[in-house]
Amino acid sequence: NGENHLVTRNPAAMSDDLTHTYTLLLKQDNTYVIYVDAENVQEGDIEEDFNILPPKTIDDPEVTKPEDWVDEVMIDDPEDVKPADWDDQPETINDPDAAKPEDWDDDLDGEWEASQIPNPER
C-alpha cells in the first residue's frame, strides 16, 4: 500500500569509505536476514523488528452493545412499498435488439420469436 514501516533494530552501518551492497531477504516464515556484501549482519522476526502490525488492543469487558442493537444483516424498511404497477410488469420482455435471421424460413423453422431479456422496468 506504499506505506513505510520503520525498523526498530537498525543494522550496523559500515564506516569505511567503500561502496557496500545491502540486501534484505524476507522469508515465508516472517523472518528476515540483512546481508552486507553477501555477509549476514542481522537476522530476526519481521513482526518484532519492524513496526508493521498495529498495536495490540485488549477488549474492554465493560463495553456492551446498546439495548436497541439489531444483529440482523438486512432490515426491511417498513415504509418501503412496491410501485403501483409492479405486478402488471412482466418479468421478461422481447429483446429490442433481436432481429429475425435472414435465412429464417417460417415454413421450416416455425414462427420466429425474439429472445427474452429481463425487464429493466422491474
Side-chain angles (χ1 to χ4, degrees):
N1 63 3
E3 209 175 298
N4 289 329
H5 298 284
L6 300 177
V7 64
T8 58
R9 208 177 104 201
N10 289 322
M14 303 304 282
S15 60
D16 55 23
D17 292 334
L18 302 174
T19 302
H20 299 281
T21 303
Y22 287 78
T23 306
L24 173 64
L25 174 66
L26 301 174
K27 298 182 180 180
Q28 289 182 342
D29 62 353
N30 286 341
T31 60
Y32 70 94
V33 180
I34 297 177
Y35 295 98
V36 177
D37 297 332
E39 286 187 38
N40 180 341
V41 295
Q42 180 176 318
E43 53 187 289
D45 186 73
I46 293 173
E47 293 177 6
E48 291 176 10
D49 295 344
F50 290 83
N51 292 328
I52 292 178
L53 300 175
K56 293 183 178 180
T57 59
I58 300 172
D59 289 336
D60 185 354
E62 303 287 322
V63 175
T64 59
K65 291 182 183 178
E67 290 182 20
D68 60 346
W69 188 271
V70 178
D71 284 323
E72 295 177 29
V73 176
M74 294 290 292
I75 300 174
D76 289 331
D77 183 357
E79 298 175 12
D80 191 23
V81 294
K82 279 199 246 182
D85 64 343
W86 180 263
D87 292 326
D88 298 336
Q89 296 285 332
E91 286 189 35
T92 60
I93 60 170
N94 289 339
D95 184 354
D97 297 329
K100 184 176 180 178
E102 292 180 19
D103 61 344
W104 189 271
D105 186 344
D106 288 335
D107 294 333
L108 293 174
D109 301 321
E111 185 178 337
W112 181 82
E113 294 179 7
S115 58
Q116 298 287 304
I117 62 168
N119 188 348
E121 299 292 322
R122 262 194 101 137

